[in-house]
Amino acid sequence: MQHKDIWRGLDQLAARHGLSASGLAKRAGLDPTSFNPSKREGPDGRPRWPTTESLARVLEAVGAGFDDFAALVEGRRGGCAPLIGFAQAGQDGFFDNAGFPVGAGWADVRFPGLGTETVYALQISGDSMEPAYRSGDRIIAAPGAPVKAGDRVVAKTAQGEVMAKVLARKTARLIELASLNPDYPSREFKPSEIAWLARILWASQ
């Protein structure tokens, strides 16, 4: 990650929110000249880097996460995923048999570049995944991605229940799904009782 990449990321973050570099600095409560081109090099021509404090304040001011900023710095385009809440997700008609989103009712949410995966977003409800995920957080899930013990997953049962859990065990006879919140017990299913599992790739908190 080079000096010019960090500044390019800041410029692109500003443009995404309809701001100049000066406007971005001002929104974050910084000196409006903090990100001006003249401040990016010292009098001797050596590069100046933005401080971690200024980066943190900028990200907070525009409601962006560090992953999102890193995507801009690295030149990853990011994209949009269809978004739906867990309460709706449990209803019929929102997923096909492989766990891909179908039908109407989906909104869109932006996320950092994650490669070529086909993904969708779900908005967490409830507290069974605290402290990792809290109600209102958005998670990006990839149906069809390989899953292994220890992965955080979205699971849909044959009865239509959708949940975010940790895959504790998966054998020919048993699928055990654990909650990160110790107040909630693990749940065990026969493989035939699980319609699909989708690995969680990313979360917006």
Side-chain angles (χ1 to χ4, degrees), residues 18-54:
L19 300 168
S20 63
S22 296
L24 181 65
K26 186 175 181 179
R27 178 176 291 190
L30 302 170
D31 183 322
T33 67
S34 297
F35 301 149
N36 285 2
S38 61
K39 296 293 184 73
R40 302 182 185 191
E41 291 184 352
D44 57 358
R46 292 184 180 181
R48 283 180 174 170
W49 298 78
T51 66
T52 54
E53 179 184 1
S54 65

Side-chain angles (χ1 to χ4, degrees), residues 5-19 24 69 71-76:
D5 299 326
I6 296 292
W7 288 112
R8 183 184 67 242
L10 278 169
D11 289 339
Q12 291 182 356
L13 185 66
R16 175 182 290 182
H17 294 276
L19 300 168
L24 181 65
F69 179 68
L72 294 174
V73 170
E74 295 171 10
R76 292 180 279 138

Side-chain angles (χ1 to χ4, degrees), residues 138-162:
R138 295 169 175 181
I139 57 174
I140 302 294
V147 295
K148 63 183 185 302
D151 284 345
R152 296 174 183 179
V153 298
V154 175
K156 184 171 185 179
T157 70
Q159 300 299 315
E161 183 181 3
V162 177

Side-chain angles (χ1 to χ4, degrees), residues 94-115:
F94 285 103
F95 300 98
D96 63 18
N97 292 335
F100 288 90
V102 294
W106 295 84
D108 285 327
V109 60
R110 285 193 57 82
F111 63 96
L114 292 169

Side-chain angles (χ1 to χ4, degrees), residues 21-202:
S22 296
L24 181 65
K26 186 175 181 179
R27 178 176 291 190
L30 302 170
D31 183 322
T33 67
S34 297
F35 301 149
N36 285 2
S38 61
K39 296 293 184 73
R40 302 182 185 191
E41 291 184 352
D44 57 358
R46 292 184 180 181
R48 283 180 174 170
W49 298 78
T51 66
T52 54
E53 179 184 1
S54 65
L55 286 176
R57 290 174 65 174
V58 160
L59 294 177
E60 182 179 4
V62 298
F66 184 77
D67 285 346
D68 205 12
F69 179 68
L72 294 174
V73 170
E74 295 171 10
R76 292 180 279 138
R77 294 180 59 188
C80 289
L83 167 72
I84 201 169
F86 265 86
Q88 293 171 287
Q91 301 170 9
D92 292 335
F94 285 103
F95 300 98
D96 63 18
N97 292 335
F100 288 90
V102 294
W106 295 84
D108 285 327
V109 60
R110 285 193 57 82
F111 63 96
L114 292 169
T116 60
E117 297 94 339
T118 299
V119 299
Y120 60 83
L122 290 170
Q123 188 162 358
I124 294 289
S125 59
D127 58 359
S128 69
M129 291 293 282
E130 291 185 0
Y133 308 131
R134 301 182 184 278
S135 185
D137 289 347
R138 295 169 175 181
I139 57 174
I140 302 294
V147 295
K148 63 183 185 302
D151 284 345
R152 296 174 183 179
V153 298
V154 175
K156 184 171 185 179
T157 70
Q159 300 299 315
E161 183 181 3
V162 177
M163 65 193 84
K165 298 290 183 182
V166 176
L167 180 61
R169 278 190 297 166
K170 184 181 180 185
T171 70
R173 297 184 178 182
L174 175 72
I175 293 176
E176 181 182 357
L177 299 175
S179 299
L180 291 180
N181 188 330
D183 291 338
Y184 289 79
S186 296
R187 298 180 62 180
E188 295 183 354
F189 300 89
K190 297 176 182 178
S192 61
E193 295 175 323
I194 296 294
W196 47 259
L197 296 170
R199 183 159 55 92
I200 296 173
L201 300 181
W202 182 81

